[in-house]
Structure formats: C-alpha cells, structure tokens
Amino acid sequence: MVEDDVGIGRFISHGLRARGLSVQWERVGSRVQNLAASGRFNAIILDLLLPDSDGLDLCRAIRKAELGIPILVLTARTGLDDRLDGFSAGADDYLGKPFAFLELVARVKALLARDQLRKPDPVVIGPLRIDADVDVATWDGRTIELGGRSFAMLLALARARGGVISRDELLDEIWGESIVTDNALDACASALRRSLSAVTNRAIVAAKRREGYSLHIADAGTDGGES
C-alpha cells in the first residue's frame, strides 16, 4: 500500500491485517517500482497524490517494466477524466476517497484472486531479462545457457535488485527441502558465473562473506565491456 496520509494508511493497514492479509505500507513512491518487481507482493493499493512522485507516473512505469501486478488506485481524484487517466496508465481498479472500507476489502480480494491466475512477471535489469514462466534468461537478446539450479539462483538474485540474499534463503530457493552441503551453493554460483561470462562480463555474481550472494550489473564501458 502506498499512502502518505498517516490516518488513512494506519486505518487501511490495520483493517486488512485484521482480515488475514499481509500489508507493507509505503508513504512515498521512491521504492514502489522495485518492490513491485521483487515478486513478493500480489497487489498494490496506490494513492496518486504522493509527496515525492505522481501515482500515475508510477503506474505507467510499472506497466512499462512489464509487471502485471494488479493495481488499485485509491485517490481523492474522482472525476471522470481522472478515472480514465488512471485506467489509461494501467490501473486495474479505481476507488475514490472517501470510501467504504468493506468495498475496499472486496476490491482488494478480487484483485488478489486475479493475481493467482497471471503468469510470472519477467525480471528485467538493463540488458538482462529473465522469463520465469518459460525458464529462459537472455542478455541483450542472447540466450544464456543455464542449468536448472543456475537459473533458479539467477532469478532469485535478480529479484533482489542488487540486495544480498542469505545463503540459507538461496539454499531453500534452489533446493527446497532437499539436504545438500553448503559447498553446493558455491558450486552453483561458480556455474552461474561461467554461464554469464559466455555472453557478458557486466553481470557480476558477488559473494558476501558469511552473508550470501548478490547480483550487480556493471555499467557499459566500465570494467569490462562486452565479451
């Protein structure tokens, strides 16, 4: 939920949590696109009048990034032209303020049901594109040849958008409940590096000592250029 009004934000978040939903409340728009791309959320409640950005611009950016996460616009802009602008920007639903809380709950639940039917969003970071629904990763249009575990590791790291994922989290993500040695993760990382190096040396899989791994995409023209 993206809402800068403290009273409204607290009311909605408490009410939805009381109905068994998990809510992350953001008061500004700066992190919204990365959060939407993380794969951790199933719907967005989006105010349009934010202190640091325009909600319509955020909505457009999310759709331009090919993120299909359902978006419910919740705003004081209630005119016909405002609603049309919202849908044109990619909103799935539009609710004006003031609103009935039970109606908001019903609309959110409808979006969550819709989210269960959509295929996974592609993860796009610069030239890197990962289509999880078909297990294909490309760099600037070139297919990256990956084994199943390397693909799972690349997908998990890419979704973190540069953040460090712990070793335990990666083991769970890649092997599930299977019991493997800790060295298996390092071997998987080495295999992933080899696969990436076949198409680029800008995709860097970095090991953080006693923490985990992260993925960094170096700028073009920095150390090193394309292979």
Side-chain angles (χ1 to χ4, degrees), residues 128-139:
L128 176 65
R129 179 189 176 97
I130 306 171
D131 290 284
D133 59 321
V134 290
D135 291 349
V136 172
T138 59
W139 180 273

Side-chain angles (χ1 to χ4, degrees), residues 153 156-157 163-176 178 180-190 193 205-214:
M153 186 173 191
L157 294 176
V164 177
I165 301 185
S166 73
R167 298 179 69 88
D168 287 342
E169 288 178 301
L170 284 171
L171 287 169
D172 288 342
E173 187 74 25
I174 298 167
W175 282 276
S178 299
V180 296
T181 65
D182 200 46
N183 290 337
L185 182 60
D186 299 318
C188 185
S190 295
R193 291 188 183 106
V205 177
K208 305 295 182 180
R209 197 170 192 178
R210 293 188 296 273
E211 294 183 41
Y213 284 89
S214 64

Side-chain angles (χ1 to χ4, degrees), residues 9-214:
R10 185 177 293 120
F11 170 69
I12 293 174
S13 59
H14 287 180
L16 292 179
R17 287 170 184 149
R19 284 160 175 79
L21 300 178
S22 177
V23 182
Q24 180 164 324
W25 177 16
E26 296 289 321
R27 301 184 188 184
V28 294
S30 58
R31 301 201 309 148
V32 171
Q33 188 171 350
N34 281 347
L35 289 172
S38 70
R40 295 165 45 210
F41 301 97
N42 304 101
I44 299 174
I45 299 173
L46 179 64
D47 187 15
L48 297 185
L49 301 171
L50 300 171
D52 66 334
S53 52
D54 185 288
L56 287 179
D57 291 338
L58 287 174
C59 196
R60 293 187 189 98
I62 290 169
R63 294 301 180 234
K64 185 177 180 180
E66 300 183 63
L67 302 176
I69 182 170
I71 299 174
L72 167 62
V73 168
L74 182 65
T75 180
R77 298 180 183 174
T78 58
L80 176 59
D81 288 342
D82 295 315
R83 296 197 302 274
L84 293 176
D85 287 344
F87 288 119
S88 178
D92 297 272
D93 201 354
Y94 199 104
L95 183 60
K97 298 176 181 175
F99 59 93
F101 180 70
L102 291 179
E103 180 180 3
L104 173 66
V105 172
R107 290 172 182 252
V108 168
K109 287 184 175 180
L111 292 186
L112 293 176
R114 185 182 308 174
D115 183 67
Q116 293 179 346
L117 303 176
R118 70 183 176 100
K119 67 180 184 180
D121 294 323
V123 180
V124 181
I125 310 175
L128 176 65
R129 179 189 176 97
I130 306 171
D131 290 284
D133 59 321
V134 290
D135 291 349
V136 172
T138 59
W139 180 273
D140 202 19
R142 296 175 60 189
T143 300
I144 305 170
E145 299 296 336
L146 295 164
R149 293 190 178 103
S150 294
F151 181 87
M153 186 173 191
L154 178 61
L155 178 61
L157 294 176
R159 281 175 169 164
R161 304 273 164 175
V164 177
I165 301 185
S166 73
R167 298 179 69 88
D168 287 342
E169 288 178 301
L170 284 171
L171 287 169
D172 288 342
E173 187 74 25
I174 298 167
W175 282 276
E177 297 181 358
S178 299
I179 299 174
V180 296
T181 65
D182 200 46
N183 290 337
L185 182 60
D186 299 318
C188 185
S190 295
L192 175 56
R193 291 188 183 106
R194 288 193 297 272
S195 295
L196 291 171
S197 67
V199 296
T200 182
N201 54 7
R202 288 174 52 202
I204 302 165
V205 177
K208 305 295 182 180
R209 197 170 192 178
R210 293 188 296 273
E211 294 183 41
Y213 284 89
S214 64

